[in-house]
């Protein structure tokens, strides 16, 4: 559903709240900008655990529940 793909997800919302760019988060997580964009756009379901942890660290997330909420769509 195209409309669903356009709706911001928790990952995008959190990044915007932290005032980081997609490039900032991608570099911190060790992935390409395009790869990170695919996580936000829901083109990729979710990253591998080690990448998810790096993304969470880049976004300043320390709480496990908040970490889990990033990947709910």
């Amino acid at each position: 559903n195209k409309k669903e793909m356009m709706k911001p997800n928790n990952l995008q919302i959190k990044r915007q709240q932290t005032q980081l760019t997609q490039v900032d988060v991608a570099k911190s997580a060790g992935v390409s900008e395009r790869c990170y964009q695919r996580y936000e756009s829901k083109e990729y379901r979710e990253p591998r655990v080690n990448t998810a942890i790096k993304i969470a660290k880049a976004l300043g997330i320390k709480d496990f529940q908040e970490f889990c909420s990033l990947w709910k769509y």
Side-chain angles (χ1 to χ4, degrees), residues 30-48:
V31 298
S32 70
E33 179 183 2
R34 183 65 189 125
C35 179
Y36 181 77
Q37 288 171 340
R38 287 179 172 145
Y39 293 134
E40 278 198 9
S41 71
K42 304 173 198 163
E43 196 174 323
Y44 288 170
R45 182 72 180 141
E46 53 197 33
R48 293 176 186 215

Side-chain angles (χ1 to χ4, degrees), residues 61-70:
I61 293 171
K62 295 180 176 116
D63 178 76
F64 183 72
Q65 292 291 47
E66 187 177 10
F67 171 79
C68 292
S69 76
L70 289 178

Side-chain angles (χ1 to χ4, degrees), residues 2-17:
K2 225 176 193 173
K3 194 173 190 179
E4 183 65 27
M5 296 275 294
M6 298 301 288
K7 184 178 146 194
N9 61 36
N10 294 340
L11 183 60
Q12 182 179 7
I13 292 166
K14 181 63 179 177
R15 180 184 55 77
Q16 290 169 341
Q17 288 172 345

Side-chain angles (χ1 to χ4, degrees), residues 12-29:
Q12 182 179 7
I13 292 166
K14 181 63 179 177
R15 180 184 55 77
Q16 290 169 341
Q17 288 172 345
T18 60
Q19 299 182 348
L20 294 171
T21 66
Q22 290 178 332
V23 172
D24 295 332
V25 178
K27 282 182 181 178
S28 292

Side-chain angles (χ1 to χ4, degrees), residues 47-54 67:
R48 293 176 186 215
V49 172
N50 62 336
T51 303
I53 291 168
K54 289 177 184 177
F67 171 79

